[in-house]
Amino acid sequence: MLNRQGRPTQAGEAAHAEHATFTGNKALQQVEPLIFEIGHHEATGVDIDKPAPFKSRLGKHARQGEIGLPGLSEPETMRHYVRLSQKNYGIDTGLFPLGSCTMKHNARLNEKMARLPGFSDVHPLQPTSTVPGALDLMLELARYLMTLTGMPAVALSPKAGAHGEACGMMAIKAAIAAKGEGATRNVVLVPESAHGTNPATAALIGFSVKAVPARPDGTVAVEDVKALLGPDIAAIMLTNPNTCGIFEPEIVEIAAAMHEAGAYFYCDGANFNAIVGKARPGDLGVDAMHINLHKTFSTPHGGGGPGAGPVVLSERLAPFAPVPFIHVENDRPHLVESRGESPAGNQPFGRMTAFHGQMGMYVRALAYMLSHGSDGMRQASEDAVLNANYIRAGLADLMSLPFPDHPSMHEVLFDDEWLKGSGVSTLDFAKAMIDEGYHPMTVYFPLVVHGAMLIEPTESESKAALDLFIATLRDLAIAAKGNDKERFTSAPHHAPIRRLDETRAARSPVLKWEKPAPAKAAE
Amino acid sequence: MRYLPLTDTDREDMLARIGVSDVDALFSDVPADKLLKAPVDLPRAKGELEVERILGKMAGKNTAASAVPFFVGAGAYKHHVPATVDHLIQRSEFLTSYTPYQPEIAQGTLQYLFEFQTQVAALTGMEVANASMYDGSTGTGEAVLMAHRVTRRRKAVLSGGLHPHYTAVVETLSEMANDEVVVLKPDVSAQEDILSQIDDSTSCVVVQSPDVFGNLRDLKPIAEKAHAHGALLIAVFTEVVSLGAVVPPGAQDADIVVGEGQSIGNALNFGGPYVGLFAAKSKYIRQMPGRLCGETVDSTGQRGFVLTLSTREQHIRRDKATSNICTNSGLCVLAFTIHMTLLGQAGLARLAEVNHANAVRLADALAGVEGVTVLNDSFFNEFTVKLKKPAAEVVEVLAAKGILAGVPVSRLLPRAGLDDLLIIASTEVNTDEDRAALVAALVEVL
């Protein structure tokens, strides 16, 4: 079977392998076609009665002809998506040490709570008098976030980490404009080790970006920051702990230097999981920080979303929080939904999204926080840091640490120095981990080290799981150094599919299914 | 603590292996005076039962849409979602996976993204779709930025029928980037003269259909005029079910189509998480924001899927990226795709027909109520009525009677002088009893 691009849609040449099956299936691993290849245009898995006759009000706007979408009955749908799920690796499958992503346990209690009809089945534009419990929940989440960060305000509505970055940087831009410096302060400092979202966010909001070099030990020096400061600098965007897994030792001095120069300190909170209950960004001089609820507070990553990115704000930025927000007066919460109706002292810069943000994620995050409590959250951070350092201790003699002078926080960074001359790349090593039953760590990020491998075990891993992981990586490392190159370069061998050709996908993009061309005469 | 596997013995052993005496030695880079000595001032750990009590109490204070006659729309809609959907999206392998950075063990996610992109392209009548945005409103903001990149112009014209919150999101982004926005007056009856606003400096025109007041709009003439001036037409919708019944924007020559997909597969969730649909003409593919999933083959020639064209994205291009977006609405996409697969085109057309029928029946019934005027010539499942009294007051009185009647325009547009207007949505969930209750209550109140 070939599709319109002449690409095979069935099992490929692997069929000549030992014990090849006729179907291409391998027991529990099923080759699963696309719904467009198995569905029918007249099939449906939903029973809806035809309405009694009525007079259409669509006018000339009624759709003509077919949409071109197949349907499947309910059992077919169920089987299709169950089979697809079996091709996926999740946290519940095994260790998922994706650095910077904090793939911790997703408690099902949180799912259950988010599905309470009082949270999941309420509309953002119902009269607020009918949703007092929704406002309660938002206020309670806000209280927890403000207490944990030591910050006086929080904007809940951003829908993801990058969206939160945009929100925080907009608040900074609004604060600068309010001081009459909008025309001159338009440069944002971003360390080379930052997530790509930081410079992208700064650019989105109309700032230009200037890179801050890192010291050889992987941290930012206050002296290097000071050398770049001037009347044109609006802010610095600094991740702390940084993407090399190190807590920035001079963070307090950097914040002070920014403030002294009339600029602001934006902290990327991606790695907040290392310090929850151990240190508060507000005590460090942070002006704005987004919190990835899907990382730190365990709302599921869901194959890439939805996340949530509330932003905590300092006294200096609090007035500029976007609408909507909840304003409490005389113990009565009131939802402020437009700039024009903000209470005195507030100067919201605008609106980030249509409604109130990611309510479903607020519930899950609060359920997590209530479950852990202040003691459990502090313990979780300590365990996350302990686990990362335990892995580091178990591998440091075989793999190279680019920044050995600092303790790791919740993630440990290796580079590919130790693979030199082996013919095995970081990517090859990662693919071999798949064969061993692990999701690889984050690779080739941060960009400041060559062939980066960033391992974040989170606090959810037991010592036994870590011991096995360390032993496996040791075996692989020894094999990589010991002339077993082929094990790596052709990996993965045991995944549902072999190594995919990403170059080809980008060269001639095929982004949707097309009806196959009629079969050509035998060629 | 039930979620933390390490025991105190484990911790001791591990610290010894690391070679430090206590865990705070690992926090030595934190300035000593900033390291907290004790847990912060919040309640201590709680068992499941206690958490359920606390959150259950909060949830219990809210009126759920399923519990009352419910006619609230304006950007989010109450629909029935088949049980299969919620079961499948809670499977561990979907729920607890992440962005498919390692495609060989994420084919499940990647294949459903590919299916989703194909479905969205078909529904909207467009050539390509991305793997989703956060929601319809943020997608609209991204679409305007994309149009600016394509046309190298910086002026957007926004229809007065665009959801005011979508307008606000675009205005916020534009204000920050110093781009120009022309916002037309709120346009209750789809009568605005948007064509005269288009000139050679226009980057894009943003038009919603069905618009926020429920009117269906003819996009073709707007597309023609936009194209004559080198501008793009961005077509927006907030009710994706409408695409089962109305001419899709792609058939009217829209260049970019953005919409809210919450109605298919996703709960109301008080406003989020939702799922933004984003489609475009394929010539603009490299200017698109967000994730894209593409087909390829593995080393044995077997078909597989990967994230592709990532050179547009922030993790490669940094400050030159097409968007700062990093993730999308993965699990909401999955819910959408499963529900859409169950429906198929036949089911979607039927669902749309029922929605339209219910709205027509309600509009006809309301037209007979003294003090209520239905303003729409055309609509899908949502329309606007003019009331004899301020709509916000009426809605509040009806809410106290256990009926959620709709969205007062004054809530979306305070101080626009439209206080007597109410936007009413009706979907397949509404029964004859619901409609009778609303009509009777309005008769009583007006």
Side-chain angles (χ1 to χ4, degrees), chain A residues 374-398:
Chain A
S374 62
D375 47 335
M377 285 190 275
R378 181 180 163 95
Q379 186 66 62
S381 295
E382 290 181 354
D383 285 358
V385 171
L386 184 59
N387 280 356
N389 283 280
Y390 187 67
I391 289 175
R392 171 172 163 164
L395 297 174
D397 61 321
L398 282 176

Side-chain angles (χ1 to χ4, degrees), chain A residues 227-239:
Chain A
L228 295 167
L229 288 177
D232 58 334
I233 302 298
I236 189 168
M237 296 181 84
L238 195 64
T239 309

Side-chain angles (χ1 to χ4, degrees), chain B residues 103-114:
Chain B
E104 295 85 2
I105 43 173
Q107 283 301 295
T109 298
L110 286 155
Q111 186 164 333
Y112 81 64
L113 291 179
F114 191 81

Side-chain angles (χ1 to χ4, degrees), chain B residues 38-260:
Chain B
V40 295
D41 183 20
L42 288 169
R44 297 298 164 109
K46 292 178 173 44
E48 278 208 24
L49 179 60
E50 187 58 18
V51 175
E52 288 190 23
R53 281 196 186 117
I54 294 168
L55 292 174
K57 204 166 151 189
M58 280 186 197
K61 290 163 78 174
N62 303 327
T63 306
S66 296
V68 292
F70 190 87
F71 302 95
V72 186
Y77 303 89
K78 170 68 187 166
H79 289 281
H80 178 262
V81 177
T84 304
V85 175
D86 203 37
H87 169 84
L88 284 169
I89 68 168
Q90 288 191 77
R91 281 189 63 95
S92 282
E93 304 91 327
F94 287 138
L95 185 77
T96 73
S97 62
Y98 197 31
T99 306
Y101 295 120
Q102 297 289 345
E104 295 85 2
I105 43 173
Q107 283 301 295
T109 298
L110 286 155
Q111 186 164 333
Y112 81 64
L113 291 179
F114 191 81
E115 291 176 349
F116 170 81
Q117 288 174 182
T118 306
Q119 286 173 330
V120 172
L123 282 169
T124 54
M126 300 299 283
E127 290 166 328
V128 287
N130 76 5
S132 80
M133 312 301 286
Y134 308 133
D135 68 358
S137 66
T138 55
T140 303
E142 291 277 1
V144 169
L145 295 176
M146 174 175 157
H148 292 353
R149 288 193 296 272
V150 168
T151 61
R152 312 228 165 145
R153 300 174 185 174
R154 303 181 66 176
K155 185 172 83 179
V157 176
L158 274 46
S159 159
L162 182 62
H163 194 297
H165 290 176
Y166 284 46
T167 302
V169 170
V170 174
E171 282 180 309
T172 301
L173 271 175
S174 302
E175 214 169 289
M176 289 290 162
N178 289 324
D179 296 332
E180 198 184 338
V181 187
V182 178
V183 181
L184 276 66
K185 282 204 312 286
D187 179 31
V188 178
S189 316
Q191 311 226 316
E192 67 190 1
D193 176 14
I194 199 164
L195 296 182
S196 66
Q197 297 291 333
I198 305 169
D199 60 29
D200 289 341
S201 66
T202 307
S203 151
C204 57
V205 194
V206 185
V207 187
Q208 182 180 325
S209 180
D211 69 15
V212 70
F213 303 104
N215 307 293
L216 293 164
R217 292 184 177 231
D218 194 356
L219 303 176
K220 212 163 176 59
I222 307 171
E224 276 167 17
K225 177 90 195 242
H227 296 160
H229 286 276
L232 303 188
L233 170 63
I234 297 172
V236 178
F237 56 85
T238 59
E239 173 51 294
V240 62
V241 175
S242 67
L243 296 175
V246 305
V247 182
Q252 303 176 72
D253 210 16
D255 299 285
I256 305 173
V257 179
V258 197
E260 180 52 66

Side-chain angles (χ1 to χ4, degrees), chain A residues 173-436:
Chain A
K173 189 155 186 167
I176 289 170
K179 286 196 288 196
E181 297 179 334
T184 47
R185 280 194 192 272
N186 44 26
V187 178
V188 171
L189 303 177
V190 181
E192 292 157 338
S193 59
H195 298 105
T197 47
N198 292 179
T201 297
L204 171 81
I205 291 154
F207 290 115
S208 54
V209 177
K210 202 181 267 183
V212 182
R215 277 185 294 205
D217 71 349
T219 64
V220 175
V222 66
E223 290 316 315
D224 293 340
V225 173
K226 278 182 174 166
L228 295 167
L229 288 177
D232 58 334
I233 302 298
I236 189 168
M237 296 181 84
L238 195 64
T239 309
N240 187 55
N242 69 24
T243 58
C244 306
I246 304 168
F247 189 98
E248 291 283 356
E250 293 180 16
I251 189 164
V252 175
E253 291 80 5
I254 292 170
M258 296 310 293
H259 295 158
E260 204 166 314
Y264 294 85
F265 176 13
Y266 184 90
C267 184
D268 179 327
N271 296 335
F272 189 43
N273 199 50
I275 57 168
V276 177
K278 295 292 290 181
R280 296 182 304 182
D283 297 339
L284 305 171
V286 169
D287 289 304
M289 180 179 96
H290 75 265
I291 298 167
N292 302 90
L293 296 185
H294 47 288
K295 298 182 187 182
T296 313
F297 301 110
S298 175
T299 74
H301 285 70
V311 181
V312 285
L313 299 166
S314 64
E315 248 0 301
R316 315 157 77 213
L317 291 180
F320 303 100
V323 292
F325 59 88
I326 301 173
H327 178 69
V328 183
E329 212 169 345
N330 309 327
D331 276 348
R332 302 224 6 215
H334 163 67
L335 197 59
V336 179
E337 292 183 277
S338 74
R339 289 162 94 172
E341 55 180 17
S342 334
N346 287 285
Q347 301 160 263
F349 64 74
R351 174 179 276 278
M352 297 296 302
T353 175
F355 302 118
H356 316 303
Q358 307 288 65
M359 181 67 162
M361 302 297 128
Y362 304 161
V363 181
R364 290 172 175 89
L366 189 59
Y368 169 98
M369 292 171 167
L370 291 168
S371 295
H372 281 78
S374 62
D375 47 335
M377 285 190 275
R378 181 180 163 95
Q379 186 66 62
S381 295
E382 290 181 354
D383 285 358
V385 171
L386 184 59
N387 280 356
N389 283 280
Y390 187 67
I391 289 175
R392 171 172 163 164
L395 297 174
D397 61 321
L398 282 176
M399 294 162 63
S400 44
L401 287 165
F403 307 120
D405 305 343
H406 292 269
S408 296
M409 293 300 286
H410 64 312
E411 54 192 359
V412 53
L413 176 65
F414 295 97
D415 60 19
D416 62 359
E417 186 65 29
W418 64 280
L419 283 169
K420 260 211 174 119
S422 67
V424 176
S425 69
T426 289
L427 185 71
D428 296 331
F429 190 78
K431 298 300 183 193
M433 283 173 67
I434 293 175
D435 282 337
E436 303 295 339

Side-chain angles (χ1 to χ4, degrees), chain A residues 3 7-8 13 32-37 44-45 48 50 52 57 60-61 63 66-72 74 80-81 84-85 88-92 101 103 107-108 112 115 118 120-126 129-131 133-134 136 144 159-160 162 173 194 196-197 201 204-205 274 278 283 301-305 337 339-340 351 353-354 358-360 371-375 378-379 383 387 393 406 431 459-460 497-501 506 510-513, chain B residues 2-3 5 11 14 17 24 27 29 34 36-37 40 42-46 52 58-59 61-66 73 76 78 84 86 90-98 102 104-109 111 114-115 117-118 123 127 134-135 137 145 165 172 175-176 218 243 245-247 268-270 272-273 285 294-301 303 308 314 318 324 327-328 330-331 337 341-345 350 353 356 361 376 378-379 396 411 415:
Chain A
N3 70 4
R7 297 190 182 178
E13 298 139 26
E32 185 59 16
L34 293 157
I35 52 171
F36 314 103
E37 291 158 343
T44 181
I48 307 171
K50 194 168 173 55
R57 298 283 292 271
K60 60 180 180 184
H61 303 281
R63 194 190 250 278
E66 295 210 334
I67 300 170
L69 280 181
L72 291 176
E74 189 177 301
H80 174 72
Y81 288 103
L84 287 192
S85 76
N88 256 19
Y89 193 103
I91 299 171
D92 296 345
C101 298
M103 305 298 286
R108 294 313 193 271
K112 184 178 175 184
R115 283 170 171 78
S120 66
D121 196 27
V122 289
H123 191 291
L125 297 173
Q126 276 177 235
S129 59
T130 66
V131 287
D136 287 352
Y144 269 72
K159 291 178 112 38
K173 189 155 186 167
T197 47
T201 297
L204 171 81
I205 291 154
K278 295 292 290 181
D283 297 339
H301 285 70
E337 292 183 277
R339 289 162 94 172
R351 174 179 276 278
T353 175
Q358 307 288 65
M359 181 67 162
S371 295
H372 281 78
S374 62
D375 47 335
R378 181 180 163 95
Q379 186 66 62
D383 285 358
N387 280 356
H406 292 269
K431 298 300 183 193
E459 70 276 13
S460 302
I497 196 158
R498 300 294 300 278
R499 201 180 297 196
L500 285 151
D501 185 347
V510 178
L511 306 177
K512 64 175 188 187
W513 181 81
Chain B
R2 63 189 175 277
Y3 301 147
R11 294 180 182 115
M14 291 163 76
R17 173 77 182 81
D24 278 357
F27 288 83
D29 279 331
K34 307 296 182 194
L36 302 173
K37 303 288 177 281
V40 295
L42 288 169
R44 297 298 164 109
K46 292 178 173 44
E52 288 190 23
M58 280 186 197
K61 290 163 78 174
N62 303 327
T63 306
S66 296
K78 170 68 187 166
T84 304
D86 203 37
Q90 288 191 77
R91 281 189 63 95
S92 282
E93 304 91 327
F94 287 138
L95 185 77
T96 73
S97 62
Y98 197 31
Q102 297 289 345
E104 295 85 2
I105 43 173
Q107 283 301 295
T109 298
Q111 186 164 333
F114 191 81
E115 291 176 349
Q117 288 174 182
T118 306
L123 282 169
E127 290 166 328
Y134 308 133
D135 68 358
S137 66
L145 295 176
H165 290 176
T172 301
E175 214 169 289
M176 289 290 162
D218 194 356
L243 296 175
V246 305
V247 182
L268 287 167
N269 284 324
F270 201 53
I285 201 170
E295 185 184 306
T296 186
V297 291
D298 75 357
S299 55
T300 68
R303 177 176 68 183
T308 191
Q314 47 79 24
R318 300 178 75 85
N324 79 332
T327 181
N328 52 31
L331 209 63
T337 296
T341 298
L342 281 163
L343 286 165
Q345 63 177 24
R350 174 63 59 81
E353 190 186 9
H356 187 47
R361 277 190 239 293
N376 300 58
S378 68
F379 58 86
E396 211 57 58
R411 175 143 184 202
R415 289 177 310 281

